[in-house]
Amino acid sequence: MKLKIFTLMAALAAALIPAPLLAANQDLSRLEETARKFVAGELAQRKARWTIGRVDRRLAVPACDALFAGWAQGARQTGSTFVDVSCPSLGWSLRVPVSISETRVGVVANRALRAGETIGPDDVRLVDMPEGSATQTVLGDLSLAVGQTMTSGVPAGGWLRSFMVKAPVVVKMNQRVKVLAIGEGFMVSADGTAMANAAAGDSVPVRMGAGRVIRGTVREDGAVIVVF
């Protein structure tokens, strides 16, 4: 008798469940493939190796005709991270684990460089950086090195780090410089004397002819810009 009652209750429950909930469950392999295609597109321009993890096979959601994949909110795009695959029409979302191992490149000196030298294009090259190395301060682009001035020496084959280089001085102390005063609707030029060494983009004090000292920003051509 108890078995008959249980069977009857199960049949009634099934009859009361809306039809969409009785639909086939989502193929989780297809869901993982959607995540795989998304990551492949996202990392196509990066030197990275990656693997897609498996979704827990105990999970079950209704099958969806239009899956959408994107990085999980707040997730990093490197290391151990996640992609969310969702079905907007049915309102569900599952998280797929992703492991990304990225090959970084760094700037290496082709020859021994001394403090005060200006780095030329033949002085440096890019090489792959080994995993796990202390890479945080290593320059990752040749444009960050070429044309810069060394603040300390580095042997041939050594990594160039951010604290080893600085922008070259374009204005020297006691050098005569052109000062351009720029404001709304006007520009006036005059000559002055720089009171310190400065690189492009630096702020430098300039003594004008009447003895007044002003401060402006050094341009790459050595002119000093004062904005009013």
Side-chain angles (χ1 to χ4, degrees):
M1 178 63 71
K2 291 183 178 180
L3 179 59
K4 289 182 179 180
I5 293 174
F6 177 81
T7 303
L8 178 60
M9 290 177 62
L12 289 172
L16 294 173
I17 296 175
L21 296 183
L22 295 176
N25 288 334
Q26 175 63 46
D27 180 353
L28 297 183
S29 296
R30 179 173 169 240
L31 184 144
E32 291 163 352
E33 181 61 23
T34 299
R36 183 176 293 105
K37 289 180 179 178
F38 169 77
V39 175
E42 289 287 295
L43 303 184
Q45 303 302 317
R46 289 162 56 180
K47 298 181 67 175
R49 300 185 303 275
W50 52 271
T51 56
I52 296 291
R54 282 174 58 85
V55 176
D56 188 340
R57 286 319 193 247
R58 292 171 296 180
L59 297 174
V61 291
C64 182
D65 292 332
L67 295 173
F68 175 82
W71 295 110
Q73 185 175 5
R76 300 181 306 156
Q77 295 183 22
T78 188
S80 296
T81 186
F82 298 93
V83 167
D84 281 344
V85 179
S86 61
C87 181
S89 62
L90 297 179
W92 59 257
S93 177
L94 291 181
R95 185 155 289 184
V96 182
V98 183
S99 178
I100 303 172
S101 176
E102 190 156 17
T103 301
R104 289 194 55 197
V105 293
V107 179
V108 165
N110 288 331
R111 63 178 180 86
L113 297 171
R114 300 187 301 274
E117 282 194 82
T118 299
I119 304 170
D122 295 331
D123 295 332
V124 289
R125 70 183 187 277
L126 284 175
V127 300
D128 290 345
M129 303 188 71
E131 293 184 15
S133 60
T135 62
Q136 291 84 349
T137 60
V138 175
L139 300 179
D141 194 294
L142 292 176
S143 65
L144 300 175
V146 176
Q148 302 294 293
T149 299
M150 295 292 298
T151 60
S152 60
V154 65
W159 299 110
L160 264 69
R161 301 179 182 272
S162 56
F163 56 81
M164 295 179 176
V165 300
K166 66 177 181 179
V169 169
V170 296
V171 167
K172 295 183 178 180
M173 186 173 180
N174 296 323
Q175 176 183 330
R176 296 288 290 176
V177 295
K178 178 178 288 187
V179 178
L180 300 176
I182 300 174
E184 187 175 352
F186 74 89
M187 183 176 72
V188 179
S189 66
D191 291 334
T193 302
M195 300 177 64
N197 295 337
D202 286 349
S203 176
V204 64
V206 178
R207 187 180 302 279
M208 305 305 294
R212 179 188 176 193
V213 176
I214 63 173
R215 182 172 288 273
T217 302
V218 179
R219 218 165 54 177
E220 289 186 2
D221 61 1
V224 177
I225 306 298
V226 181
V227 179
F228 290 93

